Amino acid sequence: MSGLENYSREARQIEHEIEAKGVILGIDWNNETQVRELARQALDCRLGNVDCEPDEPLDRARLELFGLAQLMLTVMKESAEQDIDTHGGPAWKSFARALWAEHDLRRAGP
């Protein structure tokens, strides 16, 4: 990295896109049950799966949201490597908490 990245701006832009996808999908980022379901879908999504094909506008928005989550993680990782602390906004934080909770639940097993 050149160190010339504006990580805060990138995080704000990604947050804006996450919020926009949330509007399309009808996501209330304060509804933990709804966001946890979205996190489960994200963790289960594999291209080629029937439930993960971008045939419909809502499916496309969902897949784009999952890609934005990966992009946010990349921005945060790259900024951390430059000793820059970068955070997303409320929608990202809600989704990230749900993703970690679902990840931890799966690691714990039955």
Side-chain angles (χ1 to χ4, degrees):
M1 292 266 101
S2 66
L4 299 176
E5 298 282 334
N6 187 330
Y7 296 111
S8 292
R9 184 184 69 229
E10 288 182 40
R12 282 191 309 273
Q13 290 171 335
I14 296 167
E15 174 78 12
H16 175 75
E17 291 299 318
I18 288 172
E19 290 171 346
K21 300 305 178 207
V23 169
I24 292 168
L25 295 168
I27 301 297
D28 174 359
W29 297 109
N30 295 310
N31 181 328
E32 184 179 351
T33 302
Q34 190 179 34
V35 179
R36 288 284 294 264
E37 175 58 28
L38 186 64
R40 281 190 289 278
Q41 291 172 11
L43 294 174
D44 290 340
C45 184
R46 302 288 181 274
L47 286 178
N49 285 357
V50 174
D51 293 339
C52 208
E53 290 297 326
D55 296 341
E56 302 293 326
L58 291 179
D59 293 335
R60 182 176 302 278
R62 187 176 302 106
L63 282 177
E64 289 173 358
L65 175 62
F66 300 163
L68 289 165
Q70 181 62 46
L71 185 58
M72 182 69 89
L73 289 171
T74 299
V75 167
M76 293 171 74
K77 177 181 180 254
E78 289 177 359
S79 70
E81 290 169 352
Q82 299 291 321
D83 292 324
I84 299 170
D85 194 21
T86 302
H87 298 283
W92 164 249
K93 289 176 182 175
S94 175
F95 193 35
R97 275 192 303 273
L99 286 166
W100 278 114
E102 288 300 318
H103 172 268
D104 290 347
L105 185 65
R106 290 171 186 219
R107 285 186 52 107

